[in-house]
Structures are given as structure tokens and as C-alpha cells.
């Protein structure tokens, strides 16, 4: 529009000077033409936002143009770029009124220049004005729709980010609760049982009592290491220093009254750190349940590598049970099976439980392995 305005202004000035050489109006026309060009140049400096200063500027431009058209009707077509300037600067109704007034001046100027009546001179300016107004209104509606769409996308992105943060927070809370249940809570429970056993045998069997205390001390040390790991979000201490999952499972125990045996089947394969940590936590959680609820005397851990999956079986000879519902955790009841199910589900595996009252329980966690090579 700016380029079109100056092109029309220059063409109109050239036409006037060629058609009216030595005309006494020439100094006024040249002066007003230069003034109109300078005023128009100031427009972009005022910004595109409709403000009082910009409206005053538009009034000066239009007034100068009107005077110029009165003196030299050939400047009438400079009104076309002014249509868009008015539509951008004024409210819709005021802009349409101004466009109509500018159109009237253009029609009057064209009729003044014509030597005979021509219907095109009467109809062409309104058609051009209507076309310019329609194009501008359509562009404004499209721009408004795009702005609304962008605002909606930004709002949706913010809501999605907030939802992801909330889900991440909840997932992290669940992970930490399972970590604490399977490690710190188990260690504290073992220490409590050992210290109670030591208290019962302190007078009658001091050697056994001291052994219980030493075992409780070792468990406390492992609990301290586990707490530090939770703080630093490191791998389980049982898996540190290159220790494999099989060695970590072999070292597990379920307390002084339960014998734990470990079996390894198949050719061990490298497992992702996440899978190793999860399987170790599953075993710890299952042994905690065995110790606290089963009344078992022995427990067997079997780690099987079956090519495309790894399976961890935990069996005991305890009392067994019949209800497998994932009851919610309470202050006197841990996460237990819900935590184990969640870990297996996070790894895309399956968990099966077989139990008969009086005949013990077998828990089997199967984790798929990604193909290698």
C-alpha cells in the first residue's frame, strides 16, 4: 500500500505538470504534494495500533489530500491506499463513513476531469472502494481467526504442559512410595523383628541376642545406603560396583526365621538398568510380604532367562491366600501387591499369582526383553 500510494502520488504530480505547464496553481500543488508525501512517511513511525495520535495524523493526511484534489483532480486516485489506511486506523463504522466520503471526492474529481458524462466514472470509484473494503474486512477476519487459533493452541499447550507436570509428579510420588515400601520399610521391619528377638533372648541366650543385634546393624547400614540412594536417585546399592541381578537376588534374605534359596536358569543376558532395579524391588517386596503375612519357613527365588523374556518366580510354603484384590495402602498395610503389579506394568510385563490356602504362594513376574543384533 505504501508503494502504491507514492507511485500514484508521483504519477499524479507528473500528469499535472505535463498537462498544466506554467499554471499558477503549480506552486501550491507541488507544495501540497510534498507535504502529503512527508505526512504519509510519518505514518509508519506512529505504529499500526489505532491511537489518538494516529487518528490525528490520518485527519491531516486526508485534509491535505482533499485540498490537493480540489486544486488538481488528477490526485484523486491516491485515495485507494488511503482506504486501507482509514480501515486500519478507525473503528469499522467510522472507517466506512470516511471511505464513502473519499469515494465521493474521487467521483467528483473524475467527473470534473471528464469532458463528457461517462457512467464508468460514476460507478468505478465506488466499485473499487467496495472491493478494497471487502478485501480488508476479509483479511481482518482471517487474522482474527488465526489469532484466536494461536491463543487456543498456546492455552492448550500450557494446559498439556501442566497436565504432564502433574502426571509426572504423581508418577514420581508413586515410584518413591514403592521404593520406600520395598526398601526402607522392609529394612525397618526386619530390624524391629531382630531387635525384638534379641530382647527376648538377651538373658537366656546372649550370644544369639548379640547375633540378632549385629544382623540388625547390617540391615540398618543397608537401609542407610538405600536412603542415600533415594536422595541421589542412584541405582540400588545391591546393583552397584558391577554386581549383576543374579548376585543381588542371591544375597537377599527374608529374616532370621525364613530360609531363602536362589536358582538361576538359562544363560544370563544383559538387562536394562531399569529392568534389573524393578526385578530386584519386586523380589524385595515379595519377600517382605512373605515375612509379614505368610508364616512360611522357606522361600525360593528363581530367575529364568528365556531368550525373549526374563521371568522371576518367588515361591513360599506359607499359609497362602485366596483374595488377590489390590487393596489400597493404609497406615498398617503396605503397598505390597499393588506396587509389584505397577512395576511389572511399567515394564510391559505380566504378573501371575497362584496361591492355595495352606499350600503356599507362587508369584511370577515376566518381563519382555528387546531383541538384540
Amino acid at each position: 500500500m505504501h508503494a502504491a500510494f507514492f507511485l500514484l502520488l508521483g504519477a499524479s504530480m507528473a500528469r499535472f505538470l505535463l498537462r498544466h505547464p506554467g499554471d499558477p496553481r503549480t506552486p501550491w500543488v507541488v507544495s501540497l504534494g510534498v507535504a502529503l508525501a512527508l505526512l504519509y512517511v510519518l505514518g509508519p513511525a506512529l505504529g499500526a495500533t489505532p491511537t489518538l495520535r494516529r487518528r490525528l495524523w490520518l485527519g491531516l493526511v486526508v485534509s491535505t489530500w482533499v485540498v490537493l484534489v480540489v486544486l488538481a483532480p488528477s490526485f484523486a486516485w491516491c485515495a485507494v491506499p488511503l482506504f486501507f489506511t482509514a480501515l486500519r486506523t478507525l473503528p469499522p463504522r467510522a472507517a466506512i463513513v470516511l471511505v464513502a466520503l473519499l469515494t465521493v471526492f474521487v467521483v467528483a474529481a473524475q467527473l470534473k476531469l471528464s469532458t463528457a458524462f461517462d457512467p464508468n466514472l460514476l460507478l468505478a470509484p465506488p466499485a473499487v472502494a467496495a472491493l478494497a473494503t471487502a478485501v480488508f474486512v476479509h483479511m481482518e477476519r482471517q487474522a482474527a481467526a488465526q489469532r484466536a487459533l494461536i491463543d487456543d493452541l498456546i492455552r492448550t499447550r500450557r494446559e498439556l504442559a501442566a497436565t504432564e507436570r502433574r502426571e509426572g509428579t504423581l508418577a514420581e510420588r508413586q515410584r518413591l512410595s514403592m521404593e520406600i515400601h520395598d526398601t526402607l520399610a522392609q529394612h525397618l521391619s526386619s530390624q524391629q523383628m531382630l531387635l525384638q528377638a534379641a530382647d527376648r533372648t538377651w538373658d537366656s541366650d546372649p550370644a544369639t541376642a548379640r547375633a540378632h543385634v549385629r544382623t540388625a546393624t547390617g540391615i540398618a547400614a543397608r537401609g542407610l545406603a538405600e536412603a542415600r540412594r533415594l536422595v541421589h536417585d542412584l541405582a540400588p546399592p545391591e546393583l552397584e560396583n558391577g554386581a549383576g541381578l543374579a548376585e543381588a537376588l542371591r544375597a537377599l534374605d527374608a529374616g532370621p526365621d525364613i530360609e531363602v534359596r536362589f536358582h538361576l536358569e538359562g544363560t544370563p543376558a544383559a538387562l536394562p538398568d531399569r529392568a534389573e532395579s524393578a526385578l530386584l524391588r519386586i523380589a524385595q517386596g515379595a519377600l517382605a510380604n512373605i515375612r509379614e503375612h505368610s508364616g512360611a519357613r522357606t522361600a525360593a527365588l528363581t530367575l529364568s532367562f528365556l531368550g525373549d523374556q526374563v521371568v522371576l518366580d518367588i515361591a513360599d510354603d506359607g499359609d497362602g491366600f485366596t483374595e488377590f484384590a489390590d487393596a489400597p495402602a493404609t497406615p498398617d498395610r503396605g503397598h505390597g501387591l499393588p506396587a509389584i503389579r505397577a512395576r511389572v506394568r511399567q515394564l510391559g510385563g505380566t504378573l501371575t499369582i497362584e496361591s492355595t490356602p495352606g499350600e503356599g504362594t507362587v508369584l511370577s513376574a515376566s518381563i519382555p526383553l528387546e531383541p538384540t543384533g
Side-chain angles (χ1 to χ4, degrees), residues 62 65-66 79-80 82-84 86-87 90-108 122 125-130 132-133:
V62 172
W65 174 82
V66 169
V80 176
L82 295 181
F83 292 163
F84 288 95
L87 290 168
L90 299 177
R93 292 184 179 180
I96 292 175
V97 171
L98 180 57
V99 168
L101 292 175
L102 294 176
T103 305
V104 170
F105 271 90
V106 173
V107 171
L122 187 63
V128 173
T133 303

Side-chain angles (χ1 to χ4, degrees), residues 14 20 32 40 42 49 51 68 92 108 110 114 122 134 138 154 160 164 166 175 184 202 211 246 272 304 333 369 372:
H20 307 281
L32 288 172
Y40 195 88
L42 293 176
T49 304
T51 60
L68 189 58
Q110 294 302 306
S114 177
L122 187 63
H138 179 68
I154 292 175
L160 180 60
E164 290 177 348
R166 287 194 298 269
R175 185 187 70 82
L184 298 181
W202 191 265
S304 304
R333 178 184 176 87
L369 297 179
T372 58

Side-chain angles (χ1 to χ4, degrees), residues 196-249:
Q196 289 174 347
D199 182 64
R200 289 192 301 267
T201 60
W202 191 265
D203 294 329
S204 60
D205 192 354
T208 301
R210 291 189 181 91
H212 288 330
V213 171
R214 285 193 296 270
T215 304
T217 302
I219 294 175
R222 292 198 297 273
L224 178 60
E226 192 65 40
R228 290 171 176 168
R229 187 201 64 80
L230 289 175
V231 172
H232 297 286
D233 197 24
L234 300 176
E238 295 87 349
L239 297 175
E240 290 181 350
N241 301 322
L245 177 62
E247 290 76 6
L249 293 175

